[in-house]
Amino acid sequence: MGNAYGFIEITGVVAAMDALDIMAKAADVTLATWERKLGGRLVTLVVEGEVEAVKQSVEAASANAIKKPVSTGILPNPHPEIVRMVQLSASRFRGKEEPSSESKMLGEDPPDFVPKEK
């Protein structure tokens, strides 16, 4: 783990994947976790790495992503409670060696997501 987290919240899974690609190519960061809310209409990406790399990646995605992020943030030396929250989030989509035929392509909705019935 690096000593910083970078956050980008953006609308849409496609825009999030584009932003993540930009972030990973711009600097030496790795995806720590991601969360989808509102059925994927709002996606939060969390990358980790050294402080300068995280800053560079967030700035690059903010400037070049196909959509403007809703919000961004950088946390150098995050508090242990923040680290715990990121690890909890990461545990939701990690742990399986290979996706099952029933799993979604890009992860599952968090437990608090309940789609509206029509």
Side-chain angles (χ1 to χ4, degrees), residues 3 11 27 37 52 60 72 75-77 79 85 87 89 95 118:
N3 61 356
T11 55
K37 298 292 182 186
E52 286 306 313
T72 64
L75 290 178
N77 302 313
H79 187 277
M85 285 180 63
Q87 290 171 343
S89 173
K118 293 182 179 183

Side-chain angles (χ1 to χ4, degrees), residues 16-39:
M17 294 302 103
D18 175 61
L20 179 58
D21 186 61
I22 291 167
M23 293 170 85
K25 289 176 179 175
D28 186 20
V29 296
T30 58
L31 178 66
T33 190
W34 71 297
E35 294 277 340
R36 291 186 319 169
K37 298 292 182 186
L38 306 174

Side-chain angles (χ1 to χ4, degrees), residues 21-87:
D21 186 61
I22 291 167
M23 293 170 85
K25 289 176 179 175
D28 186 20
V29 296
T30 58
L31 178 66
T33 190
W34 71 297
E35 294 277 340
R36 291 186 319 169
K37 298 292 182 186
L38 306 174
R41 290 185 298 249
L42 190 60
V43 180
T44 304
L45 300 169
V46 183
V47 296
E48 61 184 326
E50 298 301 318
V51 176
E52 286 306 313
V54 167
K55 284 182 184 178
Q56 185 178 357
S57 71
V58 169
E59 289 171 2
S62 295
N64 300 305
I66 59 176
K67 287 186 175 181
K68 181 175 172 49
V70 174
S71 61
T72 64
I74 298 165
L75 290 178
N77 302 313
H79 187 277
E81 286 300 309
I82 300 298
V83 173
R84 189 177 67 80
M85 285 180 63
V86 169
Q87 290 171 343

